[in-house]
Amino acid sequence: MASMNRIIDNKYEILRMIGQGGMSKVYLAMDSRLNKQWAIKEISRINKNGFSEVNLKAALDEADMMKRLDHPALPRIVDIIQEKDVIYVVMDYIEGEPLSKLLENGNAQPQEQVIEWAKQLCNVLDYLHTCNPPIIYRDMKPGNIMLKPDGQLKLIDFGIAREYKENKVGDTVNLGTRGYAAPEQFGSHGQTDARTDIYCLGMTLYHLVTGRSPAEEPYGGVPIRELNPILSSGLEKIILKCTEANPNDRYQSCAELLYDLERYDEVDDTYRQNQKKKLKRFGIVSAAAVFSIVFGAFAQVMNAQKVNNDYEVNLDLGDTATTQEQKINYYEKAIDIKPEKHEAYYALLTTFKDDASFQIEEEQILKKKINRNLAELVETDHYSDLAYEIGKTYWYYYDYGSENTDDNQLTRIKAAKTWFSDVVEDPENEHYAQAKIYESIATFHEEVNLKVEEASDQGMYKEYWDNIEALLDFTIENKNESEIVKLEVYKLITNALENEVRKFASDGIEKDDLLEVFYTVRSLVDELDVSTDKTINLKESITSRFDEVVKAIDTAFIEQ
Amino acid sequence: MQVLTALHTDVGIRKQTNQDSLLLKVAQTSVGKVVLAVVCDGMGGLEKGELASATVISAFSKWFDNDLPPLLQNHNWNEIQARWNLLLKEQNQRIGEYGKRLNINLGTTFSGLLIIDEHFFLIGHVGDTRVYKIDSKLELLTEDQTLVNREVQRKNLTPEQAEKDPRRNVLLQCLGASRVVEPQFISGIPTLHTVFMLCSDGFRHMISKEEIYQAFAPEKLMTEQQMKNKAIELVELNKVRNETDNISIILIKVD
């Protein structure tokens, strides 16, 4: 054994031991003539346990073969010294640290960096595999890869008297020492080839990019994005292909692997989707071009025929008509042609709301069209969207009963309820939450009088208040809501505060909560610019109640 | 409760050393018969595997002598699992540090069974040694923490392929080489007229479940001598069938 300060072959002074395996030791040595540092690997026939296990002749042959290798990522062998029972292999001393050091404490390495390393490693493996005869490294793992201060990698612990070769078949081993090894490296019959190195490289990349050793849960067996979803799906596919159990399913050469590594982002799902989209867009344009030609010919044939039965045509005519009657007329016709299509109903509703009121005659028309086709409509896709629109039309615009009293709000709310109930049937609907609130408020108004008579109304008001607050919240969120809708919501709240404040108080709602909502509503009303007679009146009537609301809140809490 | 025990270990036909270590202790206490049985299959080449398995055996032997009696006195059965867990993690740490210092890989599996009369039993387990229960049938209680077993669970291998897979000796967990050990624990109340069998993996590769059941069914084991003879018989059968590993077995019959 080389002891410290010993001089080998009259020129290499042993400075210290820098590595140790079962069958070999590596020392840092100083070349006294060149004044240069080398690493010296000592392979002893008598290992530290006194058993003779190393075939020195084989080691010598291997060292001779390796001496001829010349690649920037491989340490050069500069000298081989043979003594009785021991061989010294003198090679480049590589400064830097092994990648395993970077991985301590589970530090995953940046993806871009890992790809760059992967290319370097692929390159050196390709060099080895294309030697004649090919050289299989067999022991690719982070502990065997040195990162030099200049950022380049070097493979160390090169093939001489590698320990696992001495592992007897059938000995129990822990995965910790074998985690990077390919399935064919276990047992006696395994044939290792270039694809074995590709497997080990895949496992090494897995460890580098996830920070998880393949010897730890989940033992390298899962796609990398299950451990870190932000990693590239392209890299994931590459690593999965490298680590296929069957060598035939892996990359068959490093050149193949290198090709994919250089295009890993193109293997990405997002990239593929973009490509698909591009293809689709191209397809649509081509299809449109073909269609134009065909349609041009078709249109000539159709030209003479009457087209006013057509659904689309009636819709278009409705859109361009100038009077309400005409519009309604066309939309009704459209509905009659295709009662299962929604567009005409929406168009009809918009027309009804144009004058900011959904009048009784208009409601008759809608009812006539809807009720006749309702069974069919309910079955159509997105029916709940239509129901929501109808519900809102009733809630905010319905005119019924307004000629008798100033406020028909309760009538409107109750009339709208059944439509919101239809929306609530469909939890997928984007307005599901709002519909539920509308329905709850409507239910409250339907039931409250009865409950008051029964004196069982306690507890209802808390829920009502919560719903009102929610209604206010989403009205504020939805800035595009019409003046009418906004004002109606403010009115509902102002009315509730003025009339039900005692009930709110007795149901445990804090004065501050009520005031906070009130102040919000008040400033919203003040800020709102109104443009029509109806909304001007509405705003005035709400504003006129503010003083009363404040009084009502004050008295309610004084009484308590 | 009546307890009959037997154990046998054999270096096998190929290896120079026996790295399996066994522990079997029976005590008569105020709460009745208490039995501790442990099988450890060491690894790490040459004499180091023996060192790892013997270290763990010795730790559990000391635990039985010093730490168990107060727990028995206070009937603290449920605390024992936590103590074992701690003990196993400590052993993992100690063996791991020793290996690091000497730059060698060594480690050991662990399968332990503690029976406290008719009150309680606890099984602790790391690696691929096994604990079986034999009453009207043969039942494997522990789960192998091996690469092939993992692959079977992931449906990448069938149990039959796993038997033949060259990686069948690769452990996912062992004391001394795992960063974090996660032992398997099983506890309960022992049933009588039952045989518990602990064995190293060398015992079970070459013989079938039926052969084990035929040899160790409770009604066939009436004396400790009978048990010992049967154990030797099956170990020899393994050797005849060219099992190369160390072979170890402990039998405990409770009535």
Side-chain angles (χ1 to χ4, degrees):
Chain A
M1 186 193 294
S3 54
M4 299 308 137
N5 303 322
R6 211 194 111 174
I7 296 177
I8 296 168
D9 203 29
N10 291 325
K11 68 174 174 185
Y12 303 111
E13 185 189 354
I14 302 294
L15 299 177
R16 60 187 163 92
M17 187 161 74
I18 52 179
Q20 183 181 33
M23 311 301 153
S24 63
K25 294 190 174 76
V26 182
Y27 299 95
L28 176 63
M30 177 62 89
D31 184 331
S32 52
R33 277 175 232 168
L34 295 176
N35 197 24
K36 181 177 166 40
Q37 290 185 330
W38 300 108
I40 296 185
K41 189 165 193 168
E42 176 195 65
I43 304 156
S44 172
R45 195 155 66 83
I46 310 296
N47 74 9
K48 60 179 184 266
N49 296 308
F51 290 92
S52 171
E53 295 201 352
V54 181
N55 181 339
L56 277 194
K57 175 76 174 63
L60 200 60
D61 287 350
E62 209 173 343
D64 268 332
M65 183 259 305
M66 289 208 19
K67 193 166 68 172
R68 295 195 295 273
L69 298 178
D70 178 21
H71 188 278
L74 296 174
R76 285 175 307 160
I77 292 182
V78 294
D79 206 351
I80 299 169
I81 300 150
Q82 197 177 359
E83 291 180 4
K84 185 176 176 287
D85 290 336
V86 63
I87 304 172
Y88 297 104
V89 180
V90 183
M91 53 188 143
D92 281 330
Y93 169 64
I94 298 149
E95 279 181 271
E97 54 184 2
L99 292 184
S100 54
K101 187 104 182 169
L102 269 60
L103 288 167
E104 275 172 16
N105 308 319
N107 287 328
Q109 302 300 306
Q111 177 168 287
E112 296 302 315
Q113 180 66 76
V114 173
I115 301 269
E116 179 49 41
W117 288 337
K119 288 183 203 163
Q120 285 187 39
L121 294 169
C122 225
N123 195 293
V124 60
L125 286 178
D126 188 51
Y127 171 80
L128 291 169
H129 295 164
T130 52
C131 282
N132 188 18
I135 298 169
I136 311 304
Y137 183 61
R138 292 195 188 88
D139 204 14
M140 177 68 77
K141 60 182 184 186
N144 279 349
I145 305 165
M146 290 292 276
L147 176 61
K148 296 192 294 174
D150 66 359
Q152 298 297 301
L153 299 181
K154 259 196 204 229
L155 290 185
I156 57 161
D157 197 21
F158 214 88
I160 305 162
R162 237 177 281 113
E163 274 176 73
Y164 72 85
K165 278 185 170 174
E166 330 299 334
N167 261 332
K168 281 203 203 68
V169 182
D171 263 4
T172 308
V173 292
N174 185 50
L175 187 65
T177 55
R178 305 296 307 275
Y180 307 87
E184 66 268 22
Q185 288 180 282
F186 294 84
S188 52
H189 309 296
Q191 281 296 312
T192 56
D193 58 23
R195 298 170 301 179
T196 309
D197 279 345
I198 286 172
Y199 183 99
C200 300
L201 176 58
M203 277 300 183
T204 302
L205 297 181
Y206 167 91
H207 190 172
L208 288 169
V209 86
T210 63
R212 300 261 198 120
S213 159
E216 287 165 24
E217 183 73 33
Y219 308 109
V222 299
I224 53 173
R225 287 190 306 164
E226 281 181 24
L227 302 174
N228 181 359
I230 66 164
L231 291 173
S232 146
S233 64
L235 183 60
E236 177 176 277
K237 282 189 192 122
I238 291 171
I239 291 177
L240 284 174
K241 188 164 177 186
C242 287
T243 55
E244 286 284 353
N246 182 347
N248 293 330
D249 297 334
R250 298 177 204 150
Y251 292 101
Q252 299 298 299
S253 72
C254 284
E256 241 180 69
L257 170 56
L258 192 60
Y259 182 90
D260 268 11
L261 279 171
E262 271 165 0
R263 290 158 187 79
Y264 80 97
D265 49 348
E266 295 177 21
V267 188
D268 262 9
D269 292 337
T270 46
Y271 181 84
R272 287 192 165 188
Q273 270 163 19
N274 283 340
Q275 292 298 308
K276 265 190 206 154
K277 256 186 226 155
K278 274 187 200 164
L279 196 66
K280 226 187 223 166
R281 260 181 255 141
F282 174 74
I284 290 168
V285 172
S286 340
V290 172
F291 179 76
S292 318
I293 297 166
V294 174
F295 187 72
F298 184 65
Q300 290 298 318
V301 180
M302 292 298 289
N303 200 17
Q305 296 191 11
K306 287 199 167 195
V307 288
N308 53 0
N309 270 353
D310 195 282
Y311 179 78
E312 298 291 340
V313 170
N314 273 300
L315 268 188
D316 285 345
L317 288 171
D319 290 347
T320 49
T322 44
T323 69
Q324 268 216 326
E325 283 93 335
Q326 281 175 341
K327 278 174 182 285
I328 291 169
N329 195 12
Y330 284 125
Y331 294 142
E332 278 188 79
K333 279 186 186 160
I335 290 173
D336 288 339
I337 295 165
K338 287 187 175 172
E340 77 286 4
K341 298 264 278 184
H342 295 180
E343 283 97 312
Y345 295 104
Y346 283 116
L348 202 55
L349 288 169
T350 311
T351 313
F352 290 159
K353 287 188 291 191
D354 262 349
D355 56 352
S357 106
F358 178 27
Q359 284 163 18
I360 298 160
E361 297 78 3
E362 293 171 335
E363 194 221 8
Q364 294 303 319
I365 296 168
L366 183 71
K367 268 192 167 167
K368 204 167 77 193
K369 293 297 169 203
I370 286 269
N371 286 350
R372 193 193 300 156
N373 303 310
L374 195 58
E376 200 179 348
L377 275 172
V378 169
E379 297 302 319
T380 57
D381 286 342
H382 305 298
Y383 162 71
S384 58
D385 288 335
L386 181 61
Y388 184 74
E389 209 44 51
I390 299 173
K392 275 185 80 177
T393 308
Y394 272 104
W395 185 286
Y396 291 114
Y397 299 97
Y398 188 36
D399 212 22
Y400 183 81
S402 60
E403 63 266 29
N404 301 328
T405 60
D406 283 340
D407 187 9
N408 71 333
Q409 198 171 34
L410 294 184
T411 315
R412 289 185 277 118
I413 287 175
K414 289 172 190 170
K417 188 194 165 195
T418 151
W419 299 103
F420 290 126
S421 300
D422 278 1
V423 183
V424 171
E425 298 275 338
D426 176 16
E428 306 286 323
N429 189 287
E430 62 169 318
H431 301 295
Y432 176 77
Q434 285 98 312
K436 220 165 159 73
I437 290 161
Y438 282 123
E439 189 194 33
S440 306
I441 293 174
T443 308
F444 170 83
H445 283 295
E446 265 182 359
E447 292 179 0
V448 69
N449 288 334
L450 187 66
K451 297 273 176 169
V452 169
E453 276 178 31
E454 290 173 359
S456 63
D457 56 331
Q458 209 186 358
M460 287 178 82
Y461 297 90
K462 171 80 175 85
E463 200 197 340
Y464 180 48
W465 178 251
D466 289 345
N467 281 316
I468 283 181
E469 279 194 302
L471 180 62
L472 179 62
D473 282 347
F474 73 72
T475 309
I476 292 170
E477 263 168 46
N478 188 357
K479 298 207 164 47
N480 298 326
E481 205 65 273
S482 71
E483 288 167 27
I484 296 256
V485 170
K486 287 179 181 167
L487 285 167
E488 286 292 349
V489 171
Y490 305 151
K491 183 167 137 190
L492 180 71
I493 296 169
T494 324
N495 282 348
L497 281 171
E498 189 180 351
N499 300 320
E500 313 284 9
V501 64
R502 281 196 199 85
K503 304 285 192 176
F504 290 144
S506 69
D507 265 3
I509 295 155
E510 301 285 348
K511 184 181 181 183
D512 286 348
D513 285 353
L514 297 172
L515 281 174
E516 195 194 333
V517 170
F518 171 69
Y519 291 138
T520 309
V521 169
R522 190 170 66 181
S523 63
L524 285 167
V525 172
D526 286 343
E527 281 162 25
L528 189 70
D529 285 322
V530 284
S531 50
T532 68
D533 285 349
K534 184 171 174 179
T535 47
I536 290 167
N537 288 337
L538 199 49
K539 180 173 171 173
E540 265 176 22
S541 87
I542 297 169
T543 312
S544 70
R545 305 311 302 164
F546 284 159
D547 290 344
E548 292 304 317
V549 173
V550 177
K551 269 187 218 158
I553 293 175
D554 280 334
T555 35
F557 283 88
I558 287 164
E559 280 169 20
Q560 283 217 323
Chain B
M1 185 168 75
Q2 254 203 342
V3 176
L4 298 177
T5 63
L7 63 78
H8 187 60
T9 182
D10 195 304
V11 66
I13 59 174
R14 190 72 59 80
K15 294 199 170 179
Q16 296 164 326
T17 55
N18 189 345
Q19 308 192 350
D20 291 353
S21 296
L22 307 180
L23 173 69
L24 178 60
K25 294 206 165 208
V26 183
Q28 183 65 52
T29 72
S30 56
V31 293
K33 282 257 170 65
V34 177
V35 187
L36 173 64
V38 181
V39 175
C40 289
D41 179 352
M43 60 201 195
L46 309 169
E47 80 277 19
K48 295 304 180 194
E50 251 173 292
L51 180 68
S53 61
T55 303
V56 175
I57 289 291
S58 141
F60 272 82
S61 176
K62 276 189 199 137
W63 176 83
F64 185 87
D65 296 342
N66 303 329
D67 300 341
L68 181 58
L71 292 172
L72 292 178
Q73 231 158 25
N74 302 326
H75 294 232
N76 271 342
W77 323 139
N78 295 322
E79 215 177 282
I80 298 174
Q81 178 177 324
R83 302 283 184 98
W84 276 26
N85 192 22
L86 216 64
L87 199 53
L88 290 170
K89 293 201 158 136
E90 201 179 283
Q91 294 301 311
N92 179 52
Q93 188 92 14
R94 280 190 56 195
I95 298 169
E97 277 168 12
Y98 175 82
K100 220 174 235 172
R101 213 166 50 239
L102 270 67
N103 202 14
I104 51 174
N105 283 304
L106 77 169
T108 180
T109 71
F110 170 89
S111 292
L113 167 67
L114 178 73
I115 300 173
I116 302 176
D117 212 81
E118 294 177 29
H119 311 299
F120 179 76
F121 81 87
L122 173 68
I123 293 168
H125 168 71
V126 178
D128 69 346
T129 37
R130 287 182 172 180
V131 181
Y132 289 89
K133 185 172 114 177
I134 307 161
D135 38 33
S136 61
K137 61 183 188 305
L138 176 79
E139 188 186 351
L140 173 62
L141 299 179
T142 53
E143 194 175 308
D144 290 346
Q145 294 169 327
T146 59
L147 188 65
V148 289
N149 189 32
R150 170 63 55 126
E151 291 297 292
V152 169
Q153 278 165 14
R154 286 181 181 165
K155 308 245 185 298
N156 294 333
L157 288 178
T158 64
E160 294 72 36
Q161 287 172 323
E163 290 285 315
K164 301 256 161 14
D165 196 286
R167 295 170 293 169
R168 67 181 192 191
N169 293 314
V170 179
L171 298 182
L172 298 180
Q173 291 261 304
C174 76
L175 299 178
S178 293
R179 206 165 63 88
V180 184
V181 244
E182 282 155 25
Q184 181 193 2
F185 287 108
I186 303 161
S187 58
I189 293 163
T191 52
L192 298 183
H193 316 297
T194 302
V195 174
F196 289 97
M197 176 183 113
L198 291 79
C199 66
S200 65
D201 65 326
F203 182 80
R204 60 180 167 79
H205 288 312
M206 297 298 176
I207 58 176
S208 68
K209 288 177 196 157
E210 288 69 35
E211 284 170 322
I212 297 176
Y213 184 74
Q214 288 309 320
F216 300 143
E219 63 273 15
K220 299 206 173 138
L221 303 180
M222 301 317 290
T223 67
E224 294 197 330
Q225 193 54 48
Q226 269 178 345
M227 290 164 71
K228 177 81 178 174
N229 291 344
K230 283 280 179 194
I232 293 173
E233 202 177 289
L234 282 205
V235 168
E236 290 304 318
L237 182 62
N238 262 301
K239 286 158 72 180
V240 168
R241 292 181 185 171
N242 272 330
E243 172 59 53
T244 56
D245 207 350
N246 308 139
I247 308 170
S248 302
I249 173 176
I250 303 180
L251 293 167
I252 300 156
K253 189 185 182 209
V254 292
D255 277 304

